[in-house]
Amino acid sequence: MKNDKILFPVGFEPANSPVFVHNEIQINATPREVWDWLTNAPTWPDWYFNAANVEIVGSNGDHLVKGSVFKWKTFGNTLQSEVKEYVPNERIAWLALGTGIKAYHAWLIIPNGSGCKVVTEETQHGWLCRLGKVLFPKRMYNYHQIWLEGLKAKAEIN
């Protein structure tokens, strides 16, 4: 189930991608509190087990911004990602490239009465993602849900 507010670039639309996953969660925190944790990429390994060695390339800052390039390891693969969409406290998305994979990962923060709903969607292309879909059909969905739960725990502490 795709969220119509997430904007995929040409070629990465869910209907044109071999792998698509959608996750969402309610977080009882402000969009700004969620945003601060989500864009602080170097802290991801502290609260999401599937992220490692996160490094923002060529930056002294610790938060992602429009155009940020970051290297990291996830699902056992080293990726180089670039932030392509960036609207503070609302949306962020990056293009990720690695051996056998090209992915587009988008996040959307939707304010509501009790905080905000956070939606994340990802599409993938490449031989490695196709293999992963066959061998581990629910792994990306499950791991993204764990990522959202970690984000919720961090944001709701404040």
Side-chain angles (χ1 to χ4, degrees), residues 90-109:
E90 183 181 320
R91 61 178 63 234
I92 188 168
W94 53 79
L95 178 65
L97 304 174
T99 302
I101 188 166
K102 185 187 281 189
Y104 194 80
H105 194 160
W107 298 77
L108 178 64
I109 301 170

Side-chain angles (χ1 to χ4, degrees), residues 18-39:
V19 174
F20 168 71
V21 68
H22 167 103
N23 296 74
E24 58 184 69
I25 197 167
Q26 173 64 35
I27 299 181
N28 299 317
T30 67
R32 182 181 171 97
E33 290 166 326
V34 170
W35 184 259
D36 284 344
W37 284 106
L38 180 58
T39 60

